[in-house]
Amino acid sequence: MIFSHISDTHLGLIQYGLEERENDMYSAFNEAVDISIKDHVDFVIFAGDIFHVPNPSGMAIIQMANALKRLKQSQIESFFVLGEHDISRIRSTPIPYVYHNLEYARYVGHGRPVIHKDVMIAGFDKIRKGEMPEYYERFSQVDRAAKDHRGHKILVMHQGISEINKFAGELGSADLPKNFTYYAMGHLHDHALKQFSHLSGPVAYPGSTEMTTSEGIKESQKGFYEVDISGNDAVPNWVRLDTRPQMSQKTEFDHLEKTVSDVLEKISKLSKKPIVEIKISGDNIESDIVQNQMARLAPHTLHYVWRLTQNSDGNSSVLLDRPASIDDELIRLAANCLGKTDLASFAIRDLLPLLSANRTDEAGQMIMERFEQFKGTK
C-alpha cells in the first residue's frame, strides 16, 4: 500500500503580481496529483496550507476541486487538515470544508481518528504556539488510540518541530504522540525527513510544491512524498516536481558583465524561463551600468531582480548574507526586540501577512484572541 503526502500547495498565490507564477502553483500541484494517480496510490494526505489565503480566488477553488475529482474518479481517497493560510481568524468557514461536505475529500483536522483500509489517520489543524498546552491531553487521547490500533497509524499536522527548524518550531518532537508509524507534517517549506528514537515512525516534511514569497529566491527542489506502508515500517520516497528554476548569484560590481554572461549561458539550457536574483557588491557602483547589464536578462527570464551593496570600511550590507528563509530571519530579529520567540513568531507569521494584505479586521480579531489567551494563563 502506498499513499501520497502533499503539503503547502498555496493555491492562488500570485507572486510578483505575475499570472505565470499563479499558474506555476497550479502546475506543480496538479503534477503531484497526476503522479499520484499514475502511481496508483491508495490515498492522498494534504497536510495544510492548501490555499494561500482563507478567501481564495475562484480559480484556486476550481483547481483544487478538479484535482480532488480526478482522484475520486481513480478511486483514490483524500484527507486533509488546515494550515494557518487556510484558517480565517474572523470565524468564517474555511473553504476546504466545502470539499468535505461534498465528499470529495475527508477532513481529519479535528483530532478524531478515522480508519481507511486498516490505516488509522488522525490530524490536527494548525495550532498556534500559545494554544499548544491545551492540546497535550488530546495528543494523549489520540496516542492511546494509536497504541491500540494494529495497522499503520498516520498523524497529520501543520506544525514546525524545533529540532528541525528552531525558528519555526512550535513544539518539540517529545511533545508528539509516540505511537504513530508516520508523521505527515506540513508548514516547513523545505523537505526534511528525521527519525527520532522516542517516536515509532519518521517525521516527514515534503516541503512546499512550489517556491513561495517567504522563501526568497534560491535554487531549490520541490516535491512530495510517496510513502510505502506495505511492510511494518513506513518508507517515504521523495518525488521531485518540475518547477520553474530559480537562482541567486553574488558578484562584485567589477565582474558584473561576466556574471550576467555566465547566468545567460546557464539559463539558455532551461526549458522554463527562470527567476533570477543578482546581489552586487563593491565600491562606487554605477547604477546606469547595473541597469544596462541587468536588462540583458529581461528576454530570457520570467522575473529578475538585483540588489546593490556598497562596501564601506570593509563592511557589507546584510543583503549579501540573507537567510534562505526571510521569515526565519525576521523572527530572529523580532525575537531580539521583543525578548520572546513565541511573540516574534506570532507577529511575523500571523499578523504580518494579514497587515500586508490590508486585512486589518482579521488582524484585530487575532490580537483580541491572543489577548484572551494571555489573560487565561495569568
Side-chain angles (χ1 to χ4, degrees):
M1 182 182 290
I2 297 175
F3 71 89
S4 288
H5 170 199
I6 301 171
S7 187
D8 294 272
T9 52
H10 286 268
L11 301 179
L13 169 62
I14 308 176
Q15 197 176 25
Y16 314 120
L18 297 173
E19 182 181 353
E20 291 90 342
R21 286 300 290 151
E22 180 184 14
N23 290 333
D24 285 345
M25 306 303 292
Y26 301 144
S27 176
F29 164 69
N30 282 306
E31 184 185 4
V33 170
D34 291 340
I35 291 173
S36 298
I37 293 172
K38 176 181 68 69
D39 291 345
H40 304 289
V41 303
D42 291 272
F43 58 94
V44 175
I45 286 173
F46 295 102
D49 280 359
I50 296 167
F51 296 111
H52 188 61
V53 292
N55 53 339
S57 67
M59 177 59 72
I61 294 171
I62 289 171
Q63 288 285 334
M64 186 67 190
N66 286 340
L68 294 176
K69 182 179 180 180
R70 296 202 309 278
L71 290 169
K72 269 286 190 182
Q73 289 171 340
S74 299
Q75 288 77 52
I76 299 172
E77 295 295 324
S78 303
F79 303 86
F80 69 92
V81 301
L82 304 177
E84 69 272 23
H85 283 259
D86 302 311
I87 301 171
S88 172
R89 299 301 178 183
I90 57 173
R91 306 303 185 193
S92 62
T93 301
I95 291 296
Y97 282 169
V98 174
Y99 307 123
H100 174 84
N101 293 339
L102 294 175
E103 299 184 350
Y104 271 23
R106 191 163 181 181
Y107 170 66
V108 294
H110 41 48
R112 296 188 293 274
V114 301
I115 306 298
H116 176 70
K117 296 184 177 180
D118 198 37
V119 177
M120 187 186 112
I121 303 172
F124 292 92
D125 291 340
K126 174 69 175 186
I127 307 167
R128 284 180 274 173
K129 191 169 184 178
E131 301 171 335
M132 197 62 67
E134 305 170 20
Y135 281 80
Y136 291 145
E137 177 55 34
R138 296 178 66 184
F139 289 173
S140 296
Q141 292 173 1
V142 78
D143 202 22
R144 288 192 291 270
K147 186 176 181 180
D148 293 338
H149 183 74
R150 293 193 174 186
H152 276 286
K153 291 89 69 168
I154 301 169
L155 182 68
V156 190
M157 296 185 73
H158 191 86
Q159 304 290 155
I161 303 298
S162 56
E163 293 97 325
I164 297 177
N165 187 309
K166 64 180 181 180
F167 294 114
E170 295 131 339
L171 74 167
S173 62
D175 298 320
L176 293 171
K178 309 296 187 292
N179 292 295
F180 285 82
T181 51
Y182 186 79
Y183 296 79
M185 308 298 289
H187 186 51
L188 302 184
H189 284 196
D190 292 325
H191 70 276
L193 181 67
K194 190 171 180 63
Q195 179 70 63
F196 296 94
S197 60
H198 50 278
L199 300 178
S200 297
V203 176
Y205 289 91
S208 57
T209 51
E210 241 289 1
M211 292 287 288
T212 62
T213 306
S214 66
E215 298 172 76
I217 297 173
K218 60 180 179 180
E219 293 190 37
S220 181
Q221 297 180 355
K222 294 297 180 181
F224 68 102
Y225 281 115
E226 287 187 343
V227 187
D228 188 344
I229 52 174
S230 301
N232 293 328
D233 298 323
V235 181
N237 173 50
W238 195 74
V239 181
R240 183 181 176 183
L241 296 171
D242 182 24
T243 55
R244 186 179 299 277
Q246 302 199 19
M247 63 185 69
S248 180
Q249 294 282 119
K250 295 180 182 179
T251 186
E252 293 288 330
F253 173 64
D254 293 341
H255 302 148
L256 178 59
E257 182 176 359
K258 181 179 185 305
T259 299
V260 172
S261 296
D262 290 344
V263 169
L264 285 170
E265 182 179 0
K266 185 176 181 179
I267 67 179
S268 66
K269 304 178 178 68
L270 300 175
S271 59
K272 298 180 181 180
K273 286 186 175 183
I275 295 168
V276 175
E277 173 188 64
I278 296 184
K279 302 172 183 178
I280 307 163
S281 61
D283 297 310
N284 302 316
I285 296 176
E286 299 181 38
S287 59
D288 289 347
I289 293 177
V290 170
Q291 291 176 14
N292 288 335
Q293 287 298 322
M294 294 299 298
R296 296 166 57 197
L297 295 171
H300 310 284
T301 59
L302 177 68
H303 177 77
Y304 68 94
V305 63
W306 69 92
R307 305 186 186 280
L308 305 181
T309 307
Q310 294 281 355
N311 291 336
S312 176
D313 298 327
N315 295 322
S316 298
S317 163
V318 72
L319 284 176
L320 288 179
D321 297 303
R322 287 177 64 198
S325 171
I326 296 174
D327 278 3
D328 290 350
E329 182 66 6
L330 286 173
I331 289 172
R332 185 186 69 79
L333 294 173
N336 288 340
C337 296
L338 298 173
K340 292 186 177 181
T341 303
D342 60 339
L343 287 179
S345 181
F346 171 68
I348 301 303
R349 295 194 180 280
D350 293 328
L351 282 183
L352 185 58
L354 295 176
L355 294 173
S356 298
N358 200 32
R359 289 155 52 195
T360 54
D361 288 344
E362 291 182 54
Q365 178 66 34
M366 187 181 295
I367 291 171
M368 290 304 299
E369 290 177 3
R370 182 64 178 244
F371 176 68
E372 291 298 325
Q373 292 163 15
F374 176 75
K375 285 199 307 181
T377 60
K378 293 296 284 183

